[in-house]
Amino acid sequence: MPELPEVEMVVRHLRKLFTKRTIEKAQLYLPKLVSDATPRQFAAALRGARVTSVTRRGKYILSHLDNERTLLTHLGMTGRFLYVGAKDVAPKHTHVTLWLDNGKRLLYEDPRQFGMMGLSKTAELGAYKLLAKLAPEPFGDEFTLAYLTATLGRTDQQIKLALLDQTKVLGLGNIYAAEALHRARIHPQTPASQLTKARLAALYQEIVATLTEAIANDSTMNTDPSDLGASYTGGVYESMTKVYEREGKPCLTCGKLVERITQGQRSTYFCSRCQKLR
DNA sequence: ACTAAAGCCTGGCTGC
DNA sequence: TGCAGCCAGGCTTTAG
């Protein structure tokens, strides 16, 4: 699933393939994908624009254009970009086609339609609704132990749920939240405000370490260099998870069988021997 | 102000 | 073989 490491992989691919290209024509086939522009406005905003840079904010991909606008993309669960030749057939759930000045097309495909795109004036990006409340970047200077301590101290939410809240901690999804908690030896149902100083320090360290390690190992994405990530499975990191989707298998640290519980209507995998409530 | 839950979606899998 | 039912889950919206 596209969490921060997967999005970072996509951004790195886009940087190579999309930067400095001019969009000759754009077409949006699924109007609801873009809430702040009609398909006509979307096409008009992108036509003739040159991509100056591609960056990331949390799980959002930001394609900055030379017409003072930025195209935002959130991949949701199944969103992905495809870079194809002029004659290649677009897959079934292609919602956007961008015709590039090198004869290639950049397609956006999303079967489950949980992803979205947005358009913002680049200068107003900081105030853009979807970005304004996001927590600091986990690799940035603002994400400190002091920040994490203050933020988590304010909520009695179960720690797993707090970690998924992008306004509290940025970049983790279901996979990496479970992995970070296992590495920090924290039970996912621990109330966030009850974490001791030592456990907060461990958690802080393991959040950064988990994301760093995932990126260093190409995340869970299958990275075909001719593509922008053919799928969100098959990546190196997928086989490195210690608890995620390993229910009933031995914990790689202690051997006890990994358990699965439901939190916030989604699965959490953990080891009840390694991860204690206190 | 905060938290919980519903809703958005399709494809793949399970069980009858 | 066919099909109903369930599950995957990031984010927004709505309800409490």
Side-chain angles (χ1 to χ4, degrees), chain A residues 217-223 231-240:
Chain A
N217 288 281
D218 283 345
S219 77
T220 60
M221 280 200 353
N222 176 0
T223 45
S231 92
Y232 294 113
T233 61
V236 176
Y237 191 82
E238 199 179 25
S239 60
M240 293 173 66

Side-chain angles (χ1 to χ4, degrees), chain A residues 68-183:
Chain A
E68 298 183 353
R69 292 170 198 269
T70 292
L71 173 68
L72 297 87
T73 307
H74 194 295
L75 301 171
M77 288 289 300
T78 53
R80 59 179 181 165
F81 285 102
L82 297 161
Y83 185 73
V84 302
K87 289 178 181 173
D88 291 308
V89 178
K92 185 177 174 186
H93 299 284
T94 297
H95 306 316
V96 173
T97 298
L98 304 179
W99 284 265
L100 306 179
D101 61 347
N102 60 351
K104 299 279 193 176
R105 288 174 301 157
L106 188 67
L107 310 178
Y108 176 75
E109 189 218 11
D110 184 6
R112 224 171 289 178
Q113 299 181 24
F114 277 19
M116 58 79 61
M117 283 190 180
L119 275 171
S120 169
K121 288 185 180 172
T122 305
E124 297 169 5
L125 212 48
Y128 193 78
K129 196 182 170 189
L130 298 168
L131 306 182
K133 291 180 181 173
L134 294 180
E137 283 295 322
F139 300 130
D141 294 341
E142 289 177 55
F143 185 65
T144 59
L145 176 56
Y147 166 84
L148 191 70
T149 301
T151 301
L152 295 182
R154 242 179 263 132
T155 181
D156 294 330
Q157 261 184 320
Q158 299 175 14
I159 184 59
K160 161 74 179 326
L161 296 175
L163 291 182
L164 292 178
D165 182 343
Q166 303 297 298
T167 69
K168 294 186 173 75
V169 177
L170 194 61
L172 300 175
N174 214 35
I175 300 172
Y176 299 112
E179 294 300 312
L181 286 171
H182 180 257
R183 294 170 64 127

Side-chain angles (χ1 to χ4, degrees), chain A residues 36-37 41-42 44-46 49-53 62-72 118-123 125:
Chain A
D36 42 23
Q41 292 166 335
F42 182 82
L46 297 184
R50 187 167 183 263
V51 180
T52 55
S53 64
L62 309 176
S63 300
H64 306 288
L65 309 174
D66 69 350
N67 62 3
E68 298 183 353
R69 292 170 198 269
T70 292
L71 173 68
L72 297 87
L119 275 171
S120 169
K121 288 185 180 172
T122 305
L125 212 48

Side-chain angles (χ1 to χ4, degrees), chain A residues 184-256:
Chain A
R185 305 178 67 86
I186 295 169
H187 192 293
Q189 289 175 318
T190 310
S193 60
Q194 288 180 22
L195 289 169
T196 62
K197 213 172 169 181
R199 314 194 97 200
L200 283 162
L203 182 58
Y204 173 76
Q205 182 179 316
E206 298 303 342
I207 288 169
V208 177
T210 302
L211 294 173
T212 302
E213 195 173 294
I215 291 170
N217 288 281
D218 283 345
S219 77
T220 60
M221 280 200 353
N222 176 0
T223 45
D224 180 342
S226 70
D227 204 342
L228 290 97
S231 92
Y232 294 113
T233 61
V236 176
Y237 191 82
E238 199 179 25
S239 60
M240 293 173 66
T241 59
K242 299 284 200 296
V243 286
Y244 183 74
E245 282 195 336
R246 296 195 66 250
E247 183 184 14
K249 294 180 181 173
C251 170
L252 297 174
T253 303
C254 79
K256 180 155 197 221

